[in-house]
Amino acid sequence: MKHRILQAGRLLPSLEARLTAEFDTHLLASEADPQAYLAAHGGEFEGFVTSAGVGISAATMDRMPKLRVVSSFGVGLDKLDLAAAQSRGIAVGYTPDVLNDCVADLAMVLMLDVARRVSEADRYVRRGGWTTPGVASFPLARKVSGAKLGIVGLGRIGQTIAKRAGGFEMDIRYHSRRPVEGAPWRHEPSLIELARWCDFLVVITAGGAGTKHLINAEVLDALGPRGFIVNVARGSVIDEAALVRALVDKRIAGAGLDVFENEPQVPSELFTLDNVVLLPHIASGTQETRQAMADRTFDNLQGFLRDGRMVSPAPLPN
Ligand code: NAP
Ligand code: 8YV
């Protein structure tokens, strides 16, 4: 008998094909009323496949009394109620490490783009600015190589960003609650001091309640009118209203943003600003990395159901 698995939303076709071949899979998102479906059929499923953006709540777990395993496509744990899973004895798997390269690459892209005005220059060329007589020449940009980089969160991805920035001969310091043992970069216990010191502040902490609005108006003011911010973590880590005000008032130099507080909504005030680069949460979005995430999502689920072992079990909450 195949294990019954509930799939929260659509996933990569290759992952869906593997899930369907191996398990008796049902797509919750295909139901007109997912809550009513859960109330009527939640008790039939042993496994739940979700993603970092969708997660799973305690209320959903309550409707799935036979649930033994959750496998999430993504590394972020902020939408997975790990405490609820732990108290119900439900194992949770996720996809760390396989996306470090691509998320770090995109952090560098955003830093280079916003500082060197790449997207702005592209818009200038497309609208004919370069060939229009009398139009002022394109403004000069900011140098990235050798600049001061502050990294907020020196975890798996933060360290990968630091290694890349080393290739740009950047002076690197970081902030996290605890210094990372053996890390060659200087730990700055004060986030405000890090922001005051650096030219570029890259945010790559975990999301969730513990980091909500960690970057507030005070941090942005410490970064100052020559400082740029890049966020590839979660929108919730930055007080978005404070960020918009700081950008509109030119109290910081610019921002490169892959994530937002209320995705897919992006504050409309940002659309008219040339010193802002806006992306639709694509940091892990390459074919190679998404396939690796898909494989890990499958392997976690299959490993647990086969012999109780996952490749990447999520850390238990404290
Ligand atoms: P990780 O290895 O767990 O690193 C998280 C880092 O955040 C650690 O250095 C941790 O250090 C720091 N941190 C946590 N709470 C903090 C706080 N209150 N103040 C300061 N630092 C804090 O995670 P990762 O694999 O690098 O991933 C990081 C996050 O990136 C994920 O959780 C996810 O939300 C996001 N992400 C986004 C995308 C995207 O598409 N944009 C893709 C992948 C991941 P301490 O515990 O010592 O404070
Ligand atoms: C995913 C992410 O694209 O892994 C994460 O935490 O934010 C991204 O890699 C996304 O969450 C998939 O739902």
Side-chain angles (χ1 to χ4, degrees), residues 75-78 96-97 99-100 103 152-158 175-180 204-207 210-211 214 231-234 258-259 281-284 290:
V75 70
L77 299 170
D78 46 304
D97 291 315
L99 38 58
N100 294 352
V103 180
V152 188
L154 197 77
R156 291 169 292 244
I157 301 171
H175 169 77
S176 53
R177 290 167 299 179
R178 291 167 291 272
V180 176
I204 185 62
T205 62
T211 53
L214 187 67
N231 189 7
V232 285
R234 285 289 182 264
D258 184 47
V259 287
H281 200 145
I282 55 165
S284 67
R290 288 284 168 85

Side-chain angles (χ1 to χ4, degrees), residues 2 16-23 25:
K2 285 181 169 183
E16 291 192 346
R18 286 185 85 187
L19 289 169
T20 308
E22 176 92 7
F23 306 110
T25 308

